[in-house]
């Protein structure tokens, strides 16, 4: 099976190619079969490969397969190599299985759309690129996948490109992540020139030898990597693109902007942890950024009226948890949370999609309500997802992963009490906004009638993801979290979660009027607007970066370079006028000139 | 053989001079054909009968006939010849003649400079030429075929355009 | 078969010079084309003479290539002449100066 | 010195023979045509009307040799001479019998092609120099027709040349000792024969002089001796083409019992009668049909023939 590792990314790419070339001529069932089927096959291949890895002797080492070498220049030979180890196996499994479920869901969700084959085409491209990113053993190949997911994310955010806002959102996502990507590319260049290799294993081996702990180079390389991760994972200060990215279809949000792509930054840092261990400053920064992001985004999520935007802020917040974990060196906790988050967040998105599908594309939570009886399937799926998100103790996967992070933040030598406190407050806020959504959407009085019924292709992925959101916490990775000294911490986390849920019940169901009055008061309204608008980052960037830049380009358009360029043009013009005298249009003169010149040259050759 | 060479060389030079001095295109063409035939004889005396035959078949027999054809199509009459005579003023031909004379002088000067003794030239039978053409020169032969194709396409294109223009002008 | 090499080359030189003079002094395109043919033929003669001088077939091969080139050149050139005459109603090369721009 | 004398004698014999044959053949043609068309033909002068040709000759000599005032005089005079020169020059390389050949050139086939390509000038210049529209149209047709068919003529011969491995006609005859080339080179023979008819602009491919459209084509303005030269040139040309076919495809002088010259003449005469038969049997095609037939049928056929011959020779040689 290890020999066929290349099949895992190749299958979605094959699907992409087939759909890109012939998709517009295929019947829709065939498009759906190819689009979802290739990813399904890829999932099977991933499962087989992971089983083979688990059963093999060198499970710790992982399997590496070099397919071919890009170029070979002076000892620098970036290779197309795939690597399957515990980390990439988890990522691969999540990407392919969740991806398959979401694509299955999409076959029904997108059924009425004219860009049906284009959608599956881009989704397959995304899955292929993501798998390339995950399986890459070489940072250059990883970067290729990195840009590939960026591209397909751009294409899918702007999927409904006829509305200008969607296109603008796509462009924003592309440009903002580009800031991070540039940092990443610079980091790659730094590593390649300093260490002479981009193979991840070799980088991990050489970095400690070449650079001392805390040395400037290591800090610079790690900081640049972190920059890339921040952009892709929508962390402070590059988080502004993700809420707008909800302009894309809901399955896109579920797959790309919740489950997989936004966690690429987490994966990158976990992959390069050897490098980050050499830069404690960057580790600290990662933790602080994670903590700040999770609090800030959580408060934003609390005030959103758009269901998908609320989920987007929730995603930023949850990825903030992962960064917090990474920042204190809890790699496996971060990846564990990534996995459970992929399950419950895509479940939430898909359930939200199922709701809005039945409400003719409605996304505003304040226009929903009382859907509990009308949409029982979506309701239960959403409740399970929200429970997992808010880490309902003992029964949900989210509890185990979040509890593990909080425990590590407390106990890790790099951790600190105040980081733990931030995480705990975050957990409270998380539970609050998660069940705020539940109560707003499914309880209270009914505002709109539903229409139609969701089919099996929608309900099965919901059921499967719900099962994973509950059972995903019992994977072998969670072993060892139950230690005696951690009991108080566990109790605290459980308490925070339960308190949040109860608060949500009180504020948004029982005493909803009071909450609305509170929000309506001048101070409350101001705060609410501030939070809902994403803490004013968009405005700040616009004022600090975009507008000065536009002014600068306007100013430089006519001033600086012109005298030089115009001077060149004027000189050329003058010479042209001089030479154009010889252009008489008379063939004989030209021939005469050529002949005279030739004769002169021959004469010089003969007589000199 | 040397006598034959000398005679045909003189014929060639005189005929060629007549070509550029003629005012009637057809007469010039006839002189040019004579010149080519004389050069063919020169080839023969140089021991290259194959090339001599080709000179007659292709140069004199095909390329020059094309000229005849075009002149017939243009149907230039006596008026054209008179105009040609008007164009051929001494001022017009004096400069070029000087240039040509200088060129000739230079080349003869080079030829007259002392050279090593010559071996007797060996005759090249067509077989050797063919072997060389399709042996070491096969790529160039293919290129020549391409050039011919390009010429064919080009001639067809220009000819057709003129036909279309003629149709357009007719009404 | 012992024609002096220089004589053949001198003949080629003479023909070439005459052809060059023709190109320069004639205004009629047809004559210019004919003069070009003279020059090409002179070059071919030089090749054949050199080939005979060294007893190599290469000179004749080169002549064949000149022949093909001349054929292609004449076919395109004459097609252009016809086109030219249709457009300008004259064969004077100077009329081509009107084509600028 | 005896060599020179011998060639002089040969030249004289060939010239005399060919001219007599061509002149006499005019009578044969008229009689044969009459036979094909169920009428008598010339039968009054001499036995079987044999002296008719002589009488025509005398009449043509006596006619006024008139040059139209609008014609380009030197070219007008030159044109009929050219056809005689080129066709008679072609006779020089034809081997009538072992030893009976004026010039046994090592590029004999090419010489024949060269002369036939120079023959175009005669027709073209006659058409141009006459300065009248029928003549000009006839001349232009002749140029296009002959230039095109020259290509197939040359290509169709190359198969024979490849099989014989020589351009020399005596070598080619010798190479047919066991098998005449008309069997393996049948496509070449067919193409060469058709191209030969077109080259000599004999009916049915006599479009340059198609009398119903162009009066008399390129020789509309000609009369007297000059017209006779054209006429004679056509018949000599026919003789040369027939002799070439005999040499290249029908084993030349080879034949049992009879002396070689006789065999050669018999074969040539037979082929010339074939020319007349063609004239009596086929209608004249349209001009575009002629050109299309040439470029779309004869050219591919001759190229294919060449390729197949080359391949066979290569395989057999290997």
């Amino acid at each position: 099976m290890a020999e066929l590792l290349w099949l895992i990314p190749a299958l979605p790419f094959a699907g992409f190619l087939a759909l890109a070339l012939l998709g517009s001529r295929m019947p829709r069932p065939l498009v759906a079969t190819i689009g979802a089927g290739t990813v399904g096959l890829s999932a099977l291949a991933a499962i087989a490969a992971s089983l083979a890895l688990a059963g093999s002797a060198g499970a710790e080492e992982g399997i590496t397969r070099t397919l071919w070498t890009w170029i070979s220049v002076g000892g620098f030979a970036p290779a197309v190599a795939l690597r399957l180890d515990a980390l990439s196996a988890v990522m691969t499994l999540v990407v392919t299985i969740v991806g398959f479920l979401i694509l299955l869901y999409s076959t029904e969700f997108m059924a009425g759309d004219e860009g049906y084959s284009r959608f599956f085409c881009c989704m397959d491209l995304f899955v292929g690129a993501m798998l390339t990113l995950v399986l890459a053993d070489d940072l250059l190949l990883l970067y290729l996948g990195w840009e590939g997911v960026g591209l397909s994310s751009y294409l899918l955010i702007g999927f409904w490109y006829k509305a200008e806002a969607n296109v603008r959102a796509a462009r924003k996502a592309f440009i903002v992540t580009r800031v991070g990507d540039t940092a990443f590319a610079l980091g790659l260049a730094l590593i390649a020139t300093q260490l002479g290799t981009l193979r991840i294993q070799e980088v991990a081996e050489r970095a400690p030898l070449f650079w001392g702990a805390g040395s400037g180079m290591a800090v610079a390389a790690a900081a640049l990597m972190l920059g890339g991760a921040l952009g892709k994972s929508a962390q402070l200060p590059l988080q502004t693109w993700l809420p707008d990215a909800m302009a894309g279809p809901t399955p896109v949000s579920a797959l790309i902007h919740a489950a997989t792509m936004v966690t690429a930054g987490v994966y990158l840092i976990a992959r390069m942890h050897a490098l980050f261990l050499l830069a404690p400053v960057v580790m600290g920064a990662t933790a602080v950024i994670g903590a700040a992001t999770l609090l800030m985004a959580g408060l934003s999520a609390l005030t959103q009226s758009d269901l998908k935007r609320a989920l987007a802020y929730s995603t930023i917040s949850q990825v903030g948890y992962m960064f917090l974990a990474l920042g204190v060196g809890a790699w496996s906790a971060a990846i564990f949370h990534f996995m459970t988050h992929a399950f419950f967040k895509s479940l939430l998105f898909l359930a939200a999609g199922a709701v809005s599908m039945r409400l003719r594309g409605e996304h505003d939570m304040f226009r929903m309500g009382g859907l509990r009886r009308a949409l029982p399937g979506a309701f239960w799926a959403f409740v399970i997802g929200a429970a997992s998100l808010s880490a309902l103790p003992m029964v949900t996967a989210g509890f185990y992963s979040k509890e593990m992070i909080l425990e590590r933040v407390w106990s890790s030598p790099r951790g600190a009490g105040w980081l733990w406190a931030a995480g705990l407050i975050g957990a409270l806020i998380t539970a609050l906004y998660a069940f705020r959504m539940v109560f707003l959407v499914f309880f209270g009085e009914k505002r709109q009638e539903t229409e139609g019924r969701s089919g099996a292709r929608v309900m099965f992925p919901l059921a499967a993801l719900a099962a994973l959101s509950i059972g995903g916490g019992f994977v072998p990775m969670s072993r060892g979290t139950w230690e005696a000294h951690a009991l108080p911490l566990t109790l605290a986390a459980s308490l925070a979660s339960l308190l949040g849920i109860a608060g949500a019940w009180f504020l948004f169901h029982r005493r909803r009027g009071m909450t609305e009055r509170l929000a309506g008061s001048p101070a409350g309204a101001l705060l609410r607007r501030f939070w809902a608008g994403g803490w004013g980052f968009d405005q700040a960037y616009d004022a600090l970066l975009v507008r000065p830049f536009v002014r600068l380009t306007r100013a430089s358009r006519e001033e600086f370079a012109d005298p030089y360029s115009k001077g060149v043009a004027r000189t050329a013009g003058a010479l042209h006028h001089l030479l154009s005298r010889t252009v008489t249009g008379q063939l004989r003169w030209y021939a005469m000139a050529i002949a005279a010149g030739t004769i002169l040259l021959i004469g010089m050759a003969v007589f000199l | 053989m040397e006598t034959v060479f000398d005679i045909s060389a003189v014929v060639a030079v005189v005929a060629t001079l007549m070509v550029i001095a003629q005012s009637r295109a057809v007469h010039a063409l006839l002189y040019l054909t004579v010149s080519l035939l004389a050069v063919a004889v020169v080839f023969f005396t140089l021991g290259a009968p194959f090339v001599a035959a080709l000179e007659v078949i292709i140069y004199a027999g095909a390329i020059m006939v094309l000229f005849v054809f075009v002149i017939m199509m243009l149907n230039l009459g006596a008026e054209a010849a008179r105009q040609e005579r008007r164009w051929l003023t001494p001022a017009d031909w004096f400069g070029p003649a000087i240039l040509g004379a200088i060129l000739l002088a230079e080349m003869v000067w080079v030829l007259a400079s002392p050279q090593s003794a010559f071996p007797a030239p060996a005759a090249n039978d067509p077989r050797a030429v063919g072997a060389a053409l399709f042996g070491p020169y096969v790529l160039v032969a293919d290129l020549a075929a391409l050039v011919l194709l390009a010429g064919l396409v080009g001639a067809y294109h220009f000819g057709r355009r003129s036909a279309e223009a003629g149709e357009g002008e007719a009404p | 078969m012992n024609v002096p090499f220089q004589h053949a080359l001198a003949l080629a030189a003479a023909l070439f010079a005459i052809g060059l003079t023709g190109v320069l002094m004639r205004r009629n395109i047809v004559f210019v084309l004919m003069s070009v043919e003279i020059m090409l033929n002179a070059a071919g003669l030089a090749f054949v003479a050199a080939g005979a001088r060294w007893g190599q077939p290469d000179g004749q091969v080169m002549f064949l290539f000149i022949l093909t080139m001349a054929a292609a050149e004449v076919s395109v050139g004459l097609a252009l002449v016809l086109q030219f005459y249709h457009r300008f109603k004259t064969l004077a090369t100077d009329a081509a100066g009107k084509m600028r721009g | 010195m005896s060599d020179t004398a011998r060639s002089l004698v040969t030249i004289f014999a060939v010239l005399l023979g060919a001219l007599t044959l061509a002149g006499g053949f005019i009578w044969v043609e008229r009689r044969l045509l009459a036979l094909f068309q169920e009428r008598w033909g010339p039968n009054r002068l001499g036995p079987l009307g044999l002296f008719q040709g002589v009488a025509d000759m005398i009449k043509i000599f006596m006619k006024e040799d008139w040059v139209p005032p609008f014609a380009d005089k030197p070219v007008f005079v030159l044109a009929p001479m050219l056809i005689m020169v080129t066709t008679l020059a072609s006779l020089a390389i034809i081997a009538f019998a072992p030893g009976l050949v004026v010039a046994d050139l090592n590029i004999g086939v090419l010489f024949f092609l060269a002369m036939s390509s120079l023959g175009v000038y005669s027709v073209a210049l006659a058409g141009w120099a006459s300065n009248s529209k029928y003549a000009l149209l006839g001349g232009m047709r002749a140029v296009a027709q002959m230039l095109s068919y020259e290509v197939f003529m040359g290509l169709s011969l190359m198969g024979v040349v490849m099989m014989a491995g020589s351009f020399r006609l005596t070598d080619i005859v010798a190479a047919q000792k066991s098998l005449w080339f008309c069997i393996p080179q049948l496509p070449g023979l067919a193409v060469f024969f058709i191209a030969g008819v077109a080259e000599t602009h004999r009916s049915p491919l006599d479009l340059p002089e198609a009398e119903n459209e162009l009066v008399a084509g390129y020789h509309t303005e000609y009369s007297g001796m000059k017209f006779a030269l054209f006429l004679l040139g056509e018949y000599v040309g026919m003789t040369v083409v027939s002799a070439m076919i005999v040499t290249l495809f029908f084993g030349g002088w080879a034949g049992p019992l009879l002396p070689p010259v006789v065999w050669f003449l018999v074969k040539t005469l037979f082929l010339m009668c074939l020319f007349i038969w063609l004239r009596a049997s086929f209608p004249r095609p349209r001009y575009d049909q002629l050109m299309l037939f040439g470029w779309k049928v004869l050219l591919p056929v001759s190229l294919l023939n060449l390729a197949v011959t080359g391949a066979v020779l290569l395989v057999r040689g290997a």
Side-chain angles (χ1 to χ4, degrees), chain B residues 16 20 22 28-29 36 43 46 48 51 54-55 59 84 87 92-93 96 104 111 118 121 124 129 137 162, chain C residues 5-6 10 14-15 24-28 31 34 37 41 45 52-53 56 58 60 63-64 67 83 85 92:
Chain B
T16 312
I20 64 167
Q22 277 294 327
L29 213 52
L36 292 174
F43 285 154
L46 285 171
V51 168
L54 282 185
E55 171 101 355
Y59 239 125
E84 200 67 32
W87 281 345
D92 263 346
W93 60 256
L104 184 59
L111 285 174
F118 294 114
N124 282 308
V129 177
Y137 288 103
S162 83
Chain C
F5 174 54
Q6 283 105 330
L15 291 181
L24 296 184
M25 71 185 236
R26 301 308 297 242
R27 288 192 201 185
N28 189 325
F31 280 92
M34 274 193 253
E37 291 309 304
N41 192 43
L45 175 59
R53 156 74 177 77
Q56 298 270 324
D58 305 46
Q60 298 187 32
F63 178 78
L64 291 185
L67 209 60
Q83 185 78 1
Y85 191 73

Side-chain angles (χ1 to χ4, degrees), chain B residues 24 26-27 29-30 33 37 44 49-50 52-54 56-66 68-69 71-73 75-77 125-127, chain D residues 72 74-75 78 82 105-107 110-111 113-115 117-118 120-121 123-125 127-128 131 135-136 139-141 143-144 147 150 165-167:
Chain B
R24 280 179 169 240
V26 170
H27 293 193
L29 213 52
L30 281 175
T33 311
L37 291 180
F44 206 81
F50 178 61
L54 282 185
V56 178
I57 296 176
I58 295 176
Y59 239 125
I63 298 181
M64 288 303 123
V65 173
L66 265 185
V68 176
F69 194 69
I71 290 168
M72 283 165 85
M73 279 182 82
N75 202 6
L76 305 170
D125 65 328
R127 206 181 290 269
Chain D
D72 188 331
V75 180
L78 185 69
L82 268 178
L105 282 181
N106 62 348
I107 50 159
L110 291 180
F111 185 82
L113 289 175
M115 285 306 127
S117 68
L118 284 185
V120 185
Y121 278 104
V123 181
L125 292 176
W128 186 81
N131 206 0
L136 188 70
M140 283 174 68
R141 277 185 181 190
V143 171
L147 212 57
E150 225 164 69
S166 170
F167 285 125

Side-chain angles (χ1 to χ4, degrees), chain A residues 588 592 596 599 602-603 606-607, chain B residues 92 95-96 99 102-103 106 109-110:
Chain A
R588 288 181 306 143
M592 194 83 89
I599 287 168
I602 293 177
V606 170
F607 297 109
Chain B
D92 263 346
L99 275 180
I102 295 173
L103 180 65
E106 280 176 354
W109 175 276
V110 175

Side-chain angles (χ1 to χ4, degrees), chain D residues 69-303:
Chain D
F70 46 80
D72 188 331
K73 204 166 177 185
V75 180
F76 190 82
V77 175
L78 185 69
M81 291 197 235
L82 268 178
I83 197 164
M84 284 310 290
V85 169
T86 54
T87 47
L88 287 178
S90 310
L91 278 176
I93 47 129
I94 288 170
F96 295 93
L100 190 61
V101 54
V102 177
D104 195 11
L105 282 181
N106 62 348
I107 50 159
V109 173
L110 291 180
F111 185 82
F112 164 74
L113 289 175
M115 285 306 127
S116 83
S117 68
L118 284 185
V120 185
Y121 278 104
S122 164
V123 181
L125 292 176
W128 186 81
S130 302
N131 206 0
S132 86
K133 57 176 167 247
Y134 291 127
L136 188 70
L137 283 175
M140 283 174 68
R141 277 185 181 190
V143 171
Q145 171 180 336
M146 292 173 78
L147 212 57
S148 307
Y149 276 74
E150 225 164 69
V151 176
F152 324 134
M153 193 177 219
L155 280 176
S156 64
L157 288 185
M158 290 310 139
V160 171
V161 172
M162 278 162 88
M163 291 188 73
S166 170
F167 285 125
R168 194 190 297 269
L169 290 187
T170 45
D171 289 351
I172 291 173
V173 171
Q176 299 181 62
K177 204 164 269 173
S178 54
L179 182 68
W180 289 358
F181 284 156
C182 61
I183 312 278
Q185 285 296 317
L186 192 62
L189 171 62
V191 174
F192 185 79
F193 188 72
I194 297 170
V197 175
E199 274 303 279
T200 51
H201 32 89
R202 287 281 307 174
S203 183
L205 304 183
D206 58 346
L207 288 116
E209 45 195 289
E211 66 272 9
N212 3 24
E213 316 158 26
L214 299 178
V215 189
Y218 63 91
H219 53 50
T220 307
E221 307 292 340
Y222 282 88
S223 62
M225 240 348 261
K226 296 196 190 70
F227 176 75
L229 283 180
F230 274 121
L231 197 68
L232 207 58
E234 186 177 318
Y235 282 89
V236 177
M238 204 163 78
T239 318
V240 170
V241 170
S242 303
M244 279 304 285
I245 292 175
V246 168
T247 313
L248 295 172
F249 294 100
F250 289 100
W253 60 74
L257 297 173
L258 296 170
V261 185
V262 178
W263 267 117
F264 193 90
L265 289 179
V266 165
K267 290 177 189 172
T268 308
L269 272 172
F270 172 75
L271 278 169
M272 288 167 82
C273 293
L274 216 58
F275 269 87
I276 292 158
W277 190 19
L278 272 186
R279 175 177 174 179
S281 310
F282 285 106
R284 183 185 300 127
R286 254 188 0 248
Y287 186 68
D288 58 323
Q289 289 171 333
L290 175 82
M291 293 309 259
L292 280 187
F293 180 70
W295 288 108
K296 291 195 173 167
V297 178
L298 292 188
L299 182 69
V301 164
S302 50
L303 282 178

Side-chain angles (χ1 to χ4, degrees), chain A residues 436-452:
Chain A
R436 169 177 176 262
M437 291 188 277
V438 172
F439 288 124
L440 283 181
V441 174
F442 295 100
F443 290 85
E445 58 188 280
K446 203 166 181 179
R447 311 267 165 96
Q448 281 191 49
E449 284 305 317
T450 57
E451 56 180 32

Side-chain angles (χ1 to χ4, degrees), chain A residues 196-211:
Chain A
T197 181
L198 284 175
R199 292 295 280 254
I200 292 168
Q201 299 306 306
E202 291 173 6
V203 169
E205 285 164 13
R206 288 186 199 175
L209 300 177
F210 283 48
W211 299 328

